Amino acid sequence: MAVENTFTMVKPDGVRRGLVGEVISRFEAKGLKLERMRMLTIDREMAERHYGEHVGKPFFENLVEFITSGPVVAMEWSGEGAVAVCRTLMGGTNPAEAAPGTIRGDFGLVIDENIVHGSDSPASAERELGIFFG
Ligand SMILES: Nc1nc2c(ncn2[C@@H]2O[C@H](COP(=O)(O)OP(=O)(O)O)[C@@H](O)[C@H]2O)c(=O)[nH]1
Ligand SMILES: [Mg+2]
């Protein structure tokens, strides 16, 4: 395993609910290093770029509306195997099924509002870091 950099984001529901500190604490407690962070509101064009792989899916419009609905906190984290480690800490996509002890498992209930995003591969991380910090 090598040191990796990954992109994560607290989504608008997480910011609205005051879970930014909770998410950061969990990543920090795991031993990951916070490299960059910025708060912003995503516009439609940026949402379509970020979620390009989901264009055309039935939930896409809902997803774009949600992700542009308020500010997000975008972060870059580094550490050994950081991409997979962040995904593990986040839990499965559907919070209703995500394991207790994960962020989505502990704080989420429905798939439309699952609190956090995390890159799913080193290639996605590079692409997404470029969108948010390029
Ligand atoms: N409403 C709805 N939203 C979904 C569905 N699948 C994915 N999403 C949303 O789209 C985001 C991106 O999906 P995906 O990349 O597959 O999941 P992730 O990598 O775990 O975030 C998810 O985090 C959800 O917010 C679905 O079947 N229905
Ligand atoms: Mg994904």
Side-chain angles (χ1 to χ4, degrees):
M1 200 50 94
V3 171
E4 295 172 341
N5 288 43
T6 192
F7 174 72
T8 74
M9 162 168 78
V10 181
K11 296 183 179 184
D13 59 326
V15 174
R16 277 194 284 270
R17 291 175 58 197
L19 294 172
V20 175
E22 177 72 38
V23 171
I24 291 174
S25 289
R26 287 178 177 225
F27 290 157
E28 285 184 332
K30 187 70 177 172
L32 296 164
K33 182 171 174 237
L34 182 57
E35 298 282 357
R36 289 187 282 188
M37 179 161 77
R38 83 180 259 236
M39 189 177 211
L40 72 154
T41 301
I42 297 175
D43 64 18
R44 186 172 184 96
E45 184 192 17
M46 192 177 192
E48 288 180 354
R49 250 182 104 196
H50 175 66
Y51 281 126
E53 64 175 305
H54 298 301
V55 171
K57 293 186 184 170
F59 59 84
F60 184 71
E61 276 307 315
N62 185 58
L63 178 59
V64 170
E65 198 165 308
F66 163 65
I67 208 68
T68 59
S69 68
V72 302
V73 175
M75 293 167 280
E76 177 178 11
W77 293 90
S78 68
E80 286 282 317
V83 173
V85 167
C86 283
R87 296 279 293 186
T88 300
L89 294 182
M90 285 162 50
T93 303
N94 187 351
E97 293 160 10
T102 66
I103 294 165
R104 287 163 168 175
D106 286 350
F107 298 106
L109 190 60
V110 291
I111 196 167
D112 321 57
E113 303 200 348
N114 60 5
I115 305 149
V116 279
H117 168 84
S119 305
D120 62 8
S121 68
S124 296
E126 195 179 331
R127 188 183 78 84
E128 293 169 1
L129 286 168
I131 293 173
F132 284 85
F133 294 105

